[in-house]
Amino acid sequence: MQEELNQFKRNDVWELVPRPPSQTIIGTKWVFRNKLDDQGNIVRNKARLVAQGYCQEEAPRAWYDRLSSFLLQNGFIRGKVDTTLFVFEKGQDCLLVQIYVNDIIFGATNDSLCKKFSKLMQGEFEMSMMGELNFFLGLQIKQCQEGIYISQSKYTKELLKKFGIEEGRTVSTPMATNVKIDKDEKGKSVDESKYRGMIGSLLYLTASRPDILHAVCLCARFQGNPKEFHMSVVKRIFRYLKGTIQYGLFYPKNENFSLKGYSDSDYAGNIDDRKSTSGSCQFLGDCLVSWFSKKQNCVSLSTAKAEYISAAFCCTQLLWMKQTLVDYKCSFENIPIFCDNISAINIAQKPGSSQPY
């Protein structure tokens, strides 16, 4: 606790002022947490002093201002799209620094730049050098000569234990192919709090498990009034995870950085409102880097329109990625989008032509 107070004073992120006569003081609370590694071992005891979130005004981002000013003064360039990214260039080499609140991930094309950066930061701030990245925000990262493997096996095991699904059989798919999910208004209601907790936990898991994204997003639509049928579908996802705990994403080491996207859609797949669901994924070379599944906002009157809307979502994501990758010194032109609907492709190639919707 004293270390936390010392950090406030050292980093000059607060200012003591008289209390305005017509204002009340925002309360504070100490939050204690054990920081664990990927094996569940305690590596650090942390104490944080936080303001009561329900009555505070917007935070001034004092820590970010302090850190970013220091980096800019030392020759770093701030990302134009992602302002938490800082880049330092020296000749043909570069150092990338990514900030997440008070955690920093950095890497360089030359190991000497990493050592200099570590020394620079420790000379200015009281920071702990954790070594090679292997565990961050619940993500397990394994680096090897062939590439990088990212998984959430530890988090998956914790979820299975938390929701009591450690025992029982496993299944080969997260959702049956012939299942149709609706509101099931005549079904028996279940505990909303538990159902929402399970959905929220699964949504976080989709950061490294795109194979469950579609099934989880379908189940997430019924958090307002979940039924026993919906709970059974969610539990099937957990049984699938039980048999695929070690699944994750592998990013091979190569020089292929071509950017491309894939889009698809069902047609009027939602039984309750007849809206379609868009699906899309984006690849950087051979690496899957982005994916989503989302119900469309309008009712499509044809498969062409449903597929066209899905392709538009994919295009939007690719344009954002194109701008973001400029900060990493990667530029792309003529980015392909792969779609399996001829009518949607014709509409995209000739927007002014009349096509059936």
Side-chain angles (χ1 to χ4, degrees), residues 219-283:
C219 296
R221 299 174 184 176
F222 306 99
Q223 296 182 75
N225 188 18
K227 307 293 185 179
E228 286 185 339
F229 170 66
H230 304 134
M231 180 65 78
S232 67
V233 177
V234 172
K235 287 184 177 180
R236 179 190 171 97
I237 300 176
F238 278 93
R239 291 200 300 272
Y240 168 73
L241 292 174
K242 182 176 179 292
T244 59
I245 290 178
Q246 300 301 326
Y247 278 21
L249 295 170
F250 180 66
Y251 295 98
K253 183 183 295 185
N254 58 52
E255 297 181 357
N256 178 17
F257 284 101
S258 59
L259 183 61
K260 56 182 177 290
Y262 295 83
S263 72
D264 201 359
S265 173
D266 66 358
Y267 176 60
N270 189 292
I271 300 176
D272 298 308
D273 56 20
R274 310 308 297 172
K275 291 182 179 180
S276 305
T277 299
S278 296
S280 177
C281 60
Q282 291 74 36
F283 282 80

Side-chain angles (χ1 to χ4, degrees), residues 63-350:
W63 162 242
Y64 172 78
D65 291 340
R66 170 81 171 86
L67 179 58
S68 60
S69 297
F70 176 75
L71 293 176
L72 294 174
Q73 291 171 5
N74 283 274
F76 283 82
I77 301 174
R78 181 164 29 203
K80 294 181 179 180
V81 177
D82 184 359
T83 55
T84 63
L85 172 69
F86 292 84
V87 182
F88 178 82
E89 295 180 336
K90 184 177 182 181
Q92 298 296 321
D93 295 316
C94 69
L95 170 70
L96 301 176
V97 177
Q98 187 74 56
I99 300 172
Y100 183 82
V101 191
N102 62 341
D103 292 318
I104 299 176
I105 299 176
F106 60 95
T109 56
N110 190 318
D111 188 56
S112 64
L113 291 179
C114 288
K115 294 179 180 178
K116 290 181 180 179
F117 176 73
S118 176
K119 185 177 180 180
L120 175 69
M121 296 298 291
Q122 289 178 328
E124 181 69 16
F125 306 101
E126 292 183 13
M127 308 190 81
S128 300
M129 179 65 177
M130 307 302 294
E132 183 178 285
L133 179 65
N134 53 41
F135 190 67
F136 185 73
L137 299 179
L139 294 172
Q140 295 166 254
I141 299 97
K142 183 178 181 181
Q143 304 183 51
C144 59
Q145 291 294 328
E146 294 76 20
I148 298 176
Y149 179 70
I150 298 177
S151 68
Q152 291 174 280
S153 58
K154 176 179 177 292
Y155 178 70
T156 304
K157 293 178 182 178
E158 292 175 351
L159 290 186
L160 294 173
K161 182 178 180 180
K162 177 180 179 181
F163 296 110
I165 314 181
E166 294 179 288
E167 304 296 333
R169 64 185 180 89
T170 63
V171 293
S172 58
T173 60
M175 179 176 288
T177 56
N178 59 348
V179 67
K180 297 293 184 181
I181 305 180
D182 59 7
K183 292 181 179 179
D184 191 23
E185 295 179 345
K186 296 182 180 180
K188 185 178 179 180
S189 298
V190 296
D191 185 357
E192 287 187 17
S193 178
K194 181 180 180 180
Y195 186 86
R196 291 174 180 174
M198 297 173 78
I199 292 295
S201 300
L202 289 172
L203 285 173
Y204 187 74
L205 187 58
T206 60
S208 67
R209 295 294 300 267
D211 52 331
I212 67 170
L213 177 64
H214 179 65
V216 174
C217 288
L218 286 180
C219 296
R221 299 174 184 176
F222 306 99
Q223 296 182 75
N225 188 18
K227 307 293 185 179
E228 286 185 339
F229 170 66
H230 304 134
M231 180 65 78
S232 67
V233 177
V234 172
K235 287 184 177 180
R236 179 190 171 97
I237 300 176
F238 278 93
R239 291 200 300 272
Y240 168 73
L241 292 174
K242 182 176 179 292
T244 59
I245 290 178
Q246 300 301 326
Y247 278 21
L249 295 170
F250 180 66
Y251 295 98
K253 183 183 295 185
N254 58 52
E255 297 181 357
N256 178 17
F257 284 101
S258 59
L259 183 61
K260 56 182 177 290
Y262 295 83
S263 72
D264 201 359
S265 173
D266 66 358
Y267 176 60
N270 189 292
I271 300 176
D272 298 308
D273 56 20
R274 310 308 297 172
K275 291 182 179 180
S276 305
T277 299
S278 296
S280 177
C281 60
Q282 291 74 36
F283 282 80
L284 191 59
D286 298 326
C287 303
L288 177 64
V289 293
S290 177
W291 52 92
F292 71 83
S293 174
K294 180 181 180 182
K295 186 170 74 169
Q296 297 179 3
N297 296 325
C298 60
V299 177
S300 299
L301 302 181
S302 68
T303 57
K305 183 176 181 180
E307 294 278 3
Y308 185 78
I309 292 174
S310 181
F313 281 143
C314 181
C315 181
T316 300
Q317 181 70 5
L318 286 171
L319 289 175
W320 177 83
M321 293 176 65
K322 176 184 176 181
Q323 296 299 319
T324 301
L325 288 167
V326 171
D327 292 335
Y328 295 88
K329 309 305 177 185
C330 297
S331 60
F332 300 94
E333 300 294 337
N334 302 320
I335 303 171
I337 298 177
F338 295 90
C339 173
D340 62 357
N341 187 278
I342 298 299
S343 296
I345 294 174
N346 291 335
I347 297 171
Q349 291 178 338
K350 299 177 181 179

